[in-house]
Amino acid sequence: VSDESATVAIEVTIDKDDQVTIELKVLIRYGINIPDMARQIQDVVRLAVEKTTDINLKEVNVNVQGIERGEA
């Protein structure tokens, strides 16, 4: 995911069964396909977590908070 396409804040919660939910709050740059970018963010985060940790990942949620205007 290009850091020029989206700005991200991350919240992680662990439930009583030790399952982890990652909530990503993002601002997407104007002109970017929102569903495609959200799916790409989910895929990249899930893959990175699964490859580097032994975490029981329940969900990766992407919440689009707004649209950023690009530079003129």
Side-chain angles (χ1 to χ4, degrees):
V1 177
S2 168
D3 35 307
E4 294 183 12
S5 323
T7 303
V8 181
I10 302 169
E11 181 179 319
V12 177
T13 55
I14 303 170
D15 68 16
K16 64 182 184 208
D17 298 321
D18 290 332
Q19 291 186 327
V20 176
T21 297
I22 300 174
E23 182 81 26
L24 301 154
K25 296 176 183 176
V26 300
L27 296 175
I28 303 280
R29 180 146 324 235
Y30 179 80
I32 300 295
N33 183 302
I34 294 171
D36 287 348
M37 178 58 70
R39 194 169 15 265
Q40 183 180 1
I41 292 168
Q42 283 178 313
D43 292 346
V44 166
V45 169
R46 180 173 295 280
L47 184 61
V49 169
E50 288 175 351
K51 278 189 165 188
T52 60
T53 68
D54 190 26
I55 290 176
N56 188 2
L57 191 56
K58 180 179 178 181
E59 294 179 313
V60 176
N61 299 316
V62 177
N63 185 340
V64 177
Q65 300 288 301
I67 308 297
E68 286 186 332
R69 284 197 118 171
E71 296 294 321

